[in-house]
């Protein structure tokens, strides 16, 4: 699976096309796109900045994808994660999974997202009218990740 | 040892990396955190709450009882919030 | 949610853009695309033809989407299903779900696909070197659909 | 009543729709299937296996014990295989 950590935006259609062009064996494509929302709880977000650990970020994403490929019959996919300053409405992360069967594509995409949230070294900082603050990690994300260990 | 700091921990400390010869009494991550806490209020704030610290040695997650070596790249950061 | 039953192809990027343009409250976009595969078991597929029940197809898709909107906090979405002759590699169906949270977007998209497979009046006919035959409905699809009744 | 046939059932019968005045002895879907089975080998083949028949009256799924009315649009088709 293709892994990219980048500051620039991505184009879902171009990524799907790159993965699928000329192929006739794919039955299901699932994509997940994460976006910057303008509200987090009661706080109106003006901007979000994503910090990352270069090198380790790519390594962790590759590990997560390798586990997914081991667990589900995937025919390919990609993970693209951005860093740097992002405004509400902007794209943060893209996961694409390809499979002959829809269930594998759905489950693998959700698995990759759940693991990525707790295992990939990215940190979000939100800027609101009251100032900036680091986003706290969520217990619910850790729980979601645990469900895959069964 | 090469130390890297990210996110809140980097901001608390005030810089993102430094090189430190392995102190004699430091053999694992827990020792190293103890040593760093004594380096000033900025370090003390950075490492105050152990539950809010994650460590990677040479880009691999490790626990606090993992040994550290003078040649290691040791990164400290808060729980991750990507995606 | 937007429902379309059409013979012409669709453009995922254009559909996402139509749903999201100007919005900053969306946190997660999940898309599912179903494609014609060139193999079904041991049979090499030359062409697939999708027959549908005009009117009832749209009605059933709208019902499925209404159930999904009732069950998950969605911020929009669409279902596009094609009919007519399709070649291997071509797109058959697109489901898009938008939500503030990824879990809702994932679950709703999978739910819509599972129900659509058993409840929307479409029928696939495959053309192979040995002739044409109607695709049999799968027990596994009925089972997948049942899991949502819990 | 307006009868519609789709997919395999349409092919078995040889046409996709027909209008039929409600026969006197037909009050529900099961009766109607019984009546149609007597209309020739093509109908017999179409309605042979009840497990492979789905029915919609006025575009709503119904069971075989659902009453039928002279003004109804009644569609017969195999289990669905879209998506």
């Amino acid at each position: 699976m293709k892994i990219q950590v980048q500051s620039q935006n991505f184009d879902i259609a171009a990524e799907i096309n790159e993965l699928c062009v000329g192929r006739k064996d794919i039955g299901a494509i699932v994509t997940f796109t994460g976006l910057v929302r303008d509200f987090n709880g009661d706080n109106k977000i003006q901007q979000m900045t994503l910090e990352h650990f270069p090198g380790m970020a790519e390594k962790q994403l590759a590990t997560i994808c390798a586990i997914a490929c081991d667990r589900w019959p995937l025919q390919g996919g990609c993970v693209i994660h951005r860093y740097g300053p992002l405004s509400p409405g902007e794209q943060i992360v893209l996961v694409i999974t390809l499979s002959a069967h829809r269930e594998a594509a759905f489950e693998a995409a959700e698995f990759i997202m759940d693991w990525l949230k707790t295992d990939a070294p990215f940190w979000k900082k939100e800027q609101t009218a009251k100032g900036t603050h680091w986003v706290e990690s969520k217990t619910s994300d850790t729980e979601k990740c645990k469900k895959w260990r069964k | 040892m090469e130390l890297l700091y990210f996110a809140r921990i980097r901001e608390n400390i005030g810089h993102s990396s430094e090189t430190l010869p392995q102190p004699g009494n430091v053999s694992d991550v827990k020792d190293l955190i103890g040593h760093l806490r004594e380096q000033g209020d900025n370090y003390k704030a950075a490492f105050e709450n152990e539950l809010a610290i994650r460590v990677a040695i040479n880009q691999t997650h490790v626990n606090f009882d993992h040994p550290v070596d003078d040649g290691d790249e040791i990164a400290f950061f808060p729980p991750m919030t990507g995606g």
Side-chain angles (χ1 to χ4, degrees), chain A residues 32 34 50-57 59-60 81 92-93 113 116-125 132 134-138, chain B residues 4-12 16 51-52 54-62 73-83:
Chain A
F32 176 89
L50 264 150
E51 182 169 331
H52 77 300
F53 182 170
M56 185 171 171
K59 186 172 166 271
Q60 289 296 97
H81 204 301
I92 304 170
V93 62
M113 277 307 303
L116 183 161
K117 286 253 172 192
T118 60
D119 276 44
F122 292 89
W123 302 275
K124 284 177 181 154
K125 191 174 193 174
T132 63
W134 292 99
V135 173
E136 296 278 319
S137 68
K138 289 184 200 157
Chain B
L4 303 178
Y5 309 119
F6 292 96
R8 181 193 55 75
I9 292 178
R10 172 182 56 73
E11 285 189 344
N12 282 150
S16 59
L51 293 174
R54 298 289 178 273
V55 193
I57 296 186
N58 305 321
Q59 300 192 359
T60 299
H61 279 290
V62 297
E73 177 205 79
I74 305 172
F76 291 100
F77 43 81
M80 289 149 281
T81 55

Side-chain angles (χ1 to χ4, degrees), chain B residues 6-75:
Chain B
F6 292 96
R8 181 193 55 75
I9 292 178
R10 172 182 56 73
E11 285 189 344
N12 282 150
I13 291 173
H15 49 265
S16 59
S17 68
E18 62 191 310
T19 305
L20 187 79
Q22 183 168 6
N25 59 340
V26 165
S27 65
D28 65 13
V29 171
K30 204 169 175 59
D31 296 338
L32 179 58
I33 290 174
H35 173 83
L36 290 169
R37 274 185 182 142
E38 291 160 15
Q39 307 310 306
D41 285 349
N42 52 339
Y43 287 92
K44 212 169 156 181
F47 293 107
E48 194 168 20
N49 177 9
E50 288 195 0
L51 293 174
I53 301 168
R54 298 289 178 273
V55 193
I57 296 186
N58 305 321
Q59 300 192 359
T60 299
H61 279 290
V62 297
N63 291 325
F64 285 8
D65 59 1
H66 195 283
V68 295
D69 190 86
D70 203 36
D72 285 340
E73 177 205 79
I74 305 172

Side-chain angles (χ1 to χ4, degrees), chain A residues 11-24:
Chain A
D11 175 339
I12 301 179
E15 298 301 330
I16 292 177
N17 190 53
E18 188 182 316
L19 291 167
C20 298
V21 68
R23 295 186 67 168
K24 296 173 177 178

